[in-house]
């Protein structure tokens, strides 16, 4: 696997390529990259995956506050794990967006040696969104670039798309999102100072901050999670919300109670894998009711996490 930069140039006719955002790197993306590798191997060429450093919607509509499923670092790592020969993170610019599909195919041919372009099953490129796959093939024939369509992902969890996965995460349906991606939704951050109310309730929590503001948060509520801290995997439950029972104002917080764990991890990096939804956040009648609910949440989370881990063995 070789990483490319935008200034790299590849020999004419040396690659079979596909291009897309690949946000979430879900099962449909895996089907596409697997097909790409097969096509490249059959032709004796290198397989090239081109992705964008920033989502086109973030560039073209910066005020829309568009959220991503995963940060760039994780997206590149997951794409590399799919095994293409070459990976090119490309800066998406208004100038690039202004190219029609014909000019775009020509750019890929001349700069990155693309002799075969593998189009995702329902992918569109170039500013002329009304064009069809047949139009892409016609442009390709004129430019000496073969355009082929990848098969649709037809597995157990079809249909799948980045838009579908975003909607599932935003609704708190993290189990469905996990099935679509083939892995749990993850948030990365750092343990920071919080409200310090949990220890008095018997449920000490680590407050998770410094999360990439461009990454989508699951719907407010409680979740069973696997936490990764200092190379260790720990079981726990996380609450995303505004803590209405404790009257802590309107500030959104992400707190995780790690089971059977009492070490001081303030300042350490932490990653949360969202395994299952537990309940929505709601205001309770007092601290006693809150403690009873947290006890139920912990018991439910432990059972769900054990069930998940059993399936991974």
């Amino acid at each position: 696997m070789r990483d490319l930069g935008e200034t790299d140039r590849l020999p004419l006719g040396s690659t079979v390529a596909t291009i897309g955002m690949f946000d979430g790197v879900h099962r449909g993306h895996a089907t596409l990259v697997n097909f790409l590798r097969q096509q490249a191997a059959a032709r004796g060429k290198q397989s090239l995956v081109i992705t964008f450093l920033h989502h086109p919607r973030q560039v073209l509509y910066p005020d829309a506050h568009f959220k991503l499923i995963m940060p760039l670092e994780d997206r590149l790592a997951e794409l590399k794990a799919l095994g293409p020969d070459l990976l090119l993170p490309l800066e998406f610019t208004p100038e690039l967006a202004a190219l029609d599909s014909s000019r775009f195919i020509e750019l890929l041919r001349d700069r990155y040696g693309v002799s075969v372009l593998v189009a995702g099953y329902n992918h569109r490129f170039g500013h002329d969104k009304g064009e069809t796959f047949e139009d892409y093939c016609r442009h390709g024939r004129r430019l000496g670039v073969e355009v082929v369509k990848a098969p649709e992902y037809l597995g157990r969890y079809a249909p799948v798309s980045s838009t579908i996965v975003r909607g599932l995460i935003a609704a708190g349906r993290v189990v469905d999102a996990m099935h679509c991606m083939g892995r749990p939704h993850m948030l990365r951050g750092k343990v920071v100072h919080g409200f310090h109310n949990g220890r008095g309730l018997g449920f000490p929590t680590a407050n998770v901050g410094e999360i990439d503001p461009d990454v989508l948060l699951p719907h407010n509520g409680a979740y069973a999670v696997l936490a990764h801290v200092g190379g260790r995997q720990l079981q726990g439950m996380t609450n995303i919300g505004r803590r209405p029972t404790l009257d802590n104002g309107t500030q959104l917080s992400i707190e995780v109670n790690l089971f059977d764990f009492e070490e001081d991890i303030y300042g350490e990096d932490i990653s949360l894998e969202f395994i299952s939804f537990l309940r929505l956040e709601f205001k309770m009648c007092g601290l006693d009711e809150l403690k009873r609910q947290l006890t139920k949440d912990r018991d439910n989370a432990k059972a769900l996490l054990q069930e998940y881990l059993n399936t991974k063995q």
Side-chain angles (χ1 to χ4, degrees), residues 177-232:
M178 176 168 54
H179 289 326
C180 288
M181 290 190 291
R183 82 191 77 82
H185 180 56
M186 179 179 286
L187 292 179
R188 298 185 186 276
K190 190 178 289 290
V191 179
V192 299
H193 285 302
F195 294 100
H196 303 292
N197 298 133
R199 187 169 297 278
L201 295 170
F203 292 88
T205 60
N207 199 66
V208 182
E210 298 186 23
I211 291 173
D212 187 332
D214 288 333
V215 173
L216 179 66
L217 299 180
H219 193 284
N220 286 6
Y223 297 85
V225 299
L226 292 175
H228 299 267
V229 184
R232 293 171 291 180

Side-chain angles (χ1 to χ4, degrees), residues 198 201-208 221-227 234-240 254-260 270 272-279 290-305:
L201 295 170
F203 292 88
T205 60
N207 199 66
V208 182
Y223 297 85
V225 299
L226 292 175
L234 305 168
Q235 299 183 31
M237 59 183 182
T238 291
N239 187 77
I240 299 177
I254 301 174
E255 295 177 292
V256 57
N257 170 238
L258 301 172
F259 304 149
D260 307 313
I270 186 169
L272 302 178
E273 291 184 284
F274 287 78
I275 304 304
S276 188
F277 176 78
L278 297 174
R279 61 172 173 84
L290 176 58
K291 289 171 68 173
R292 288 194 295 271
Q293 183 61 57
L294 290 174
T295 301
K296 292 179 183 178
D297 293 341
R298 179 178 59 195
D299 292 344
N300 192 17
K302 284 185 175 181
L304 289 166
L305 290 169

Side-chain angles (χ1 to χ4, degrees), residues 135-179:
D135 292 317
Y136 301 153
C137 292
R138 177 168 49 83
H139 297 321
R141 284 192 294 270
R142 180 175 57 81
L143 294 166
V145 176
E146 182 183 359
V147 181
V148 298
K149 182 183 289 188
E152 181 182 11
Y153 167 67
L154 295 174
R156 180 179 176 186
Y157 302 106
V160 61
S161 70
S162 297
T163 300
I164 288 173
V165 174
R166 283 189 209 100
L168 292 171
I169 294 169
R173 295 171 56 185
V174 295
V175 173
D176 292 329
M178 176 168 54
H179 289 326

Side-chain angles (χ1 to χ4, degrees), residues 68-80:
L68 297 168
I69 299 167
M70 56 172 48
L72 175 64
E73 178 184 359
D74 288 358
R75 175 158 47 94
L76 295 181
E78 292 295 338
L79 285 172
K80 289 178 183 179

Side-chain angles (χ1 to χ4, degrees), residues 73-138:
E73 178 184 359
D74 288 358
R75 175 158 47 94
L76 295 181
E78 292 295 338
L79 285 172
K80 289 178 183 179
L82 294 177
D85 297 311
L86 305 167
L87 178 62
L88 170 63
L90 191 65
E91 187 69 60
F92 187 87
T93 63
E95 293 75 21
L96 190 65
L99 295 179
D100 59 30
S101 56
S102 177
R103 289 280 296 125
F104 190 66
I105 294 172
E106 185 177 12
L107 179 148
L108 296 178
R109 181 197 67 183
D110 294 346
R111 255 188 221 181
Y112 305 115
V114 176
S115 63
V116 181
L117 179 61
V118 177
Y121 178 75
N122 60 356
H123 183 64
R124 297 286 183 270
F125 54 85
H127 73 75
D128 41 3
K129 297 296 184 182
E131 287 200 325
T132 66
F133 175 74
E134 287 69 28
D135 292 317
Y136 301 153
C137 292
R138 177 168 49 83

